[in-house]
Amino acid sequence: MAPWIFTDKISNHETIRVFNHGNSRRDFTFVGDIVQGVVNSLFVNTGQPELVNLGNGRPVLLADFVRLVESQVGTDAIIDSVGMQKGDVPVTYADITKARRLLAYNPTTPIEEGIVRFVSWFREYNATQFRMNG
C-alpha cells in the first residue's frame, strides 16, 4: 500500500503523512518476489497445512523509502512529519526463514530497483486514476 499511496500523492503534489518522523523501518517487497514465493508453494507438499511468511526480510528506513519514491517521481514530497502512531511499532519485517527452507524462497529485487519498476508501471498505466481514499 505505501508504494502506491506515496507515489500517487507525491505525483499529485499532495501531502503525505510520515509517522515516527520517518524513523520507522518497514519490510517492502516487490510483487514479483511474492509471486515467485506463491508459485514455489504450489510444488511443495508437506502433508499438512503450513503457514509461511513471504516478504523481503530486510527492513528499510521509512525516510529512505520516501527519498527513493521522490527521486523516481521527480519531485519532492510534501511531508507532514508526525510522531509514532498509537499502537504502531518502530520496526516490522517478515521472518522468511521458513519460506527459504520450505519453498526455496529468495527475494531478489532490491528496494531501489523495485521502486524504479513500480513508479514506471504506475505511470504507464496512469494508476492515479484508480486512487485510493485515505
Side-chain angles (χ1 to χ4, degrees):
M1 296 291 291
W4 183 295
I5 291 168
F6 283 21
T7 299
D8 181 47
K9 288 189 177 230
I10 293 170
S11 296
N12 288 290
H13 308 285
E14 296 177 11
T15 302
I16 58 171
R17 180 173 283 171
V18 177
F19 289 100
N20 196 22
H21 306 289
N23 294 314
S24 297
R25 293 184 175 273
R26 295 293 181 263
D27 190 9
F28 299 99
T29 311
F30 187 68
V31 67
D33 289 333
I34 296 295
V35 169
Q36 188 59 58
V38 171
V39 169
N40 289 3
S41 76
L42 298 174
F43 301 98
V44 174
N45 183 359
T46 63
Q48 64 186 15
E50 299 283 349
L51 295 177
V52 180
N53 289 326
L54 297 179
N56 196 359
R58 293 183 295 266
V60 173
L61 190 67
L62 184 56
D64 292 342
F65 169 78
V66 170
R67 282 191 281 277
L68 285 170
V69 175
E70 286 175 322
S71 72
Q72 289 309 302
V73 170
T75 189
D76 291 339
I78 303 167
I79 298 173
D80 178 14
S81 182
V82 297
M84 181 78 86
Q85 190 171 212
K86 188 174 183 173
D88 204 354
V89 294
V91 179
T92 61
Y93 61 97
D95 178 352
I96 60 173
T97 305
K98 186 175 182 181
R100 287 185 188 278
R101 178 179 49 79
L102 193 63
L103 310 177
Y105 176 69
N106 185 31
T108 59
T109 310
I111 184 73
E112 298 82 3
E113 178 186 339
I115 293 301
V116 167
R117 292 171 67 184
F118 177 79
V119 171
S120 175
W121 171 88
F122 192 90
R123 287 180 171 153
E124 181 179 348
Y125 289 94
N126 189 26
T128 201
Q129 69 182 318
F130 305 110
R131 299 197 79 184
M132 297 177 188
N133 295 326

